[in-house]
Amino acid sequence: MSVRIAFAVALLLPAAGCMEPDFVMRQKESVLYILFVVEKMSQEGRTAEAEEILEKALPRVAEEDVPLLVARLTQVRELAVRYGAYESPLEVRNGKFTSTRDGAEMAYIPMSGPAQIGWMAPPWTLPHRRAYISAFFIDRYEVTNRQYRAFLKYVNENSDAPFRHATQDGEADHTPRIDPEEESTVPSDYFTNPRYDDRPVVGITWFDAFAYASWAGKRLPTEAEWEKAARGEESPSGQGGPYFPWGNSYSEGLANMYYAVYAPEGAAAYETSPDMLPSVPGKPGSNPGDASVFGVFDLAGNVSEFCMDEFHRYFSPPDSTTIVCRARGRFYTHALVPRDARVVRGGSFATGNLSVLGIFPIIGRWGLAPWSRTGHVGFRCALSLPLTPATRNVLEAAVESVKDRWHRDAAGGGSPESGPGR
């Protein structure tokens, strides 16, 4: 066994009597490190070594992490078989990285070592942790009604079977809709009226988002990837970047969310009249101030977004009703979030700056059951590219694009482009 394999697997070996929430968090961070190592090896074409790491780690991980590693093992084996015939789902068009299936423009997020995720403001930004995040691509803009309609047309004419999540039972109707019990301001013709074609799709479930991403040859971003794309590079002090895409303080008008302040008696007094609040999401990219240093838009506002992760991945379930996370010797519960919930990140047009996802729009987290629909949650896709003959030119261009951005930043000019470019 190589030194790297031995180290990765050794991280998972439990100490006697340590199966408590703090250890659970350490173990899950070890699983992330193994996935990080495997992804890097896959990008380098070292699939045999990656397969060996996964096989040796499987007997040692927690039961809920087994499906994650098995799925990755399957991907590695498939790549090993079709390495030379792998077709890239991404290409370079006019200097931009564009999805070959849904036409989405993507941003390249380089690897920069362990990143700080979350913040010590319990319970909605826990757990504060370090995560190993390999280089990846992420959609610069949220998926729109127009893009989602192309996916619907395909699955209605063919089948959603190749794209469906393994835990989704029976036939699925992926048509977006708003739960009639939800007090949503989204108009009834939002999904059919051409005037909303270039607005973010909402009213979809996590299963719908997963299927769309698979159809597009991509995937949903992990919440660690989402947060890195929103916060940028880790700060020199190790605090993990700003709390907003534009800095550490809330600024009215930069994001598509409404602004409120506390009145003397403690009630929320709106700086923007509640009667003037936006009733629908804006066109992606129409708030150029809400952009990260990587040129990824609408992370603090517009619509909140589904991520790949289960909400309670870093939490220990001591019984059937209570979920807890331990931080600095204290326990925090998340009783309001369903046990099988998926992570939701970012604020929205229906979010005020005094809400959980308004105060902490890019470090705060929430969860929805995977079959839930709401009028203010959409999604964007991510992609990890292995280094193959078909992807070499894209990856080389991605690295060069980052070098160019860093060069412009050093010269004092590197601000993200404005507008969606559609």
Side-chain angles (χ1 to χ4, degrees):
M1 185 189 302
S2 70
V3 174
R4 176 172 286 180
I5 295 173
F7 174 67
V9 174
L11 284 171
L12 296 172
L13 297 178
C18 290
M19 292 305 290
E20 58 183 39
D22 280 348
F23 172 75
V24 170
M25 189 178 298
R26 288 198 302 273
Q27 184 187 49
K28 293 188 183 303
E29 288 181 340
S30 299
V31 170
L32 286 182
Y33 179 72
I34 284 181
L35 292 173
F36 161 79
V37 171
V38 165
E39 182 173 318
K40 192 170 187 300
M41 288 181 170
S42 297
Q43 290 178 344
E44 295 170 354
R46 298 155 60 195
T47 55
E49 292 178 71
E51 186 173 344
E52 183 181 356
I53 283 183
L54 290 167
E55 288 177 341
K56 290 184 179 297
L58 271 173
R60 295 174 169 85
V61 301
E63 183 177 351
E64 68 266 24
D65 288 319
V66 169
L68 188 65
L69 294 191
V70 168
R72 194 68 185 93
L73 182 59
T74 301
Q75 293 171 355
V76 168
R77 287 171 174 166
E78 288 178 351
L79 180 62
V81 173
R82 52 193 287 253
Y83 179 79
Y86 180 84
E87 296 182 5
S88 175
L90 198 62
E91 62 185 12
V92 183
R93 297 181 189 169
N94 300 320
K96 298 179 180 180
F97 306 105
T98 307
S99 167
T100 58
R101 175 56 69 91
D102 67 358
E105 186 181 335
M106 304 192 80
Y108 177 67
I109 315 297
M111 180 176 66
S112 57
Q116 295 286 340
I117 303 297
W119 190 45
M120 290 303 301
W124 304 112
T125 62
L126 288 175
H128 184 226
R129 64 196 187 279
R130 305 190 82 191
Y132 294 91
I133 306 171
S134 189
F136 66 99
F137 294 85
I138 191 168
D139 289 350
R140 294 185 67 193
Y141 310 102
E142 296 148 338
V143 174
T144 65
N145 284 325
R146 184 192 304 274
Q147 291 171 313
Y148 192 83
R149 194 175 298 119
F151 158 72
L152 280 181
K153 182 176 185 295
Y154 183 94
V155 296
N156 288 337
E157 294 176 352
N158 299 275
S159 169
D160 73 331
F163 319 117
R164 188 186 311 170
H165 190 265
T167 62
Q168 183 176 339
D169 297 328
E171 293 298 322
D173 177 10
H174 297 288
T175 304
R177 56 185 178 274
I178 306 300
D179 189 328
E181 297 183 2
E182 179 184 348
E183 296 181 2
S184 175
T185 59
V186 174
S188 58
D189 64 345
Y190 181 77
F191 308 112
T192 56
N193 191 326
R195 67 179 294 191
Y196 302 123
D197 279 356
D198 294 319
R199 306 295 179 93
V201 66
V202 294
I204 44 87
T205 69
W206 182 89
F207 288 127
D208 295 335
F210 179 93
Y212 175 97
S214 299
W215 165 79
K218 298 182 281 187
R219 56 176 173 79
L220 294 177
T222 67
E223 64 171 320
E225 289 174 336
W226 191 99
E227 186 170 327
K228 181 176 179 180
R231 297 179 78 178
E233 304 293 347
E234 184 172 344
S235 66
S237 60
Q239 297 303 308
Y243 303 143
F244 299 87
W246 55 81
N248 283 325
S249 60
Y250 184 86
S251 297
E252 181 181 4
L254 289 182
N256 185 17
M257 65 169 66
Y258 57 86
Y259 182 65
V261 295
Y262 281 120
E265 65 274 14
Y270 295 97
E271 291 290 322
T272 304
S273 167
D275 296 332
M276 299 294 290
L277 301 181
S279 59
V280 295
K283 184 177 180 179
S286 57
N287 285 76
D290 186 6
S292 73
V293 296
F294 297 116
V296 183
F297 289 82
D298 298 311
L299 295 157
N302 216 27
V303 297
S304 300
E305 300 171 18
F306 280 120
C307 292
M308 178 67 77
D309 311 59
E310 291 189 17
F311 181 84
H312 295 117
R313 174 171 173 75
Y314 289 92
F315 289 65
S316 173
D319 57 50
S320 60
T321 59
T322 306
I323 306 292
V324 301
C325 177
R326 184 177 181 182
R328 295 184 178 178
R330 295 184 60 186
F331 288 88
Y332 301 94
T333 65
H334 271 291
L336 298 178
V337 179
R339 180 175 292 275
D340 57 353
R342 265 42 178 204
V343 169
V344 173
R345 284 299 201 114
S348 75
F349 72 98
T351 299
N353 67 300
L354 299 181
S355 68
V356 170
L357 290 180
I359 297 175
F360 309 115
I362 60 172
I363 56 177
R365 62 200 303 266
W366 190 257
L368 286 176
W371 58 84
S372 296
R373 303 174 187 271
T374 181
H376 61 271
V377 176
F379 68 102
R380 73 180 75 218
C381 301
L383 174 65
S384 298
L385 279 185
L387 180 59
T388 70
T391 64
R392 182 176 297 277
N393 68 318
V394 175
L395 292 172
E396 289 178 351
V399 172
E400 287 300 316
S401 73
V402 173
K403 289 179 179 178
D404 180 59
R405 179 177 65 82
W406 284 338
H407 176 72
R408 286 185 286 108
D409 288 348
S415 60
E417 300 174 28
S418 61
R422 288 180 184 155

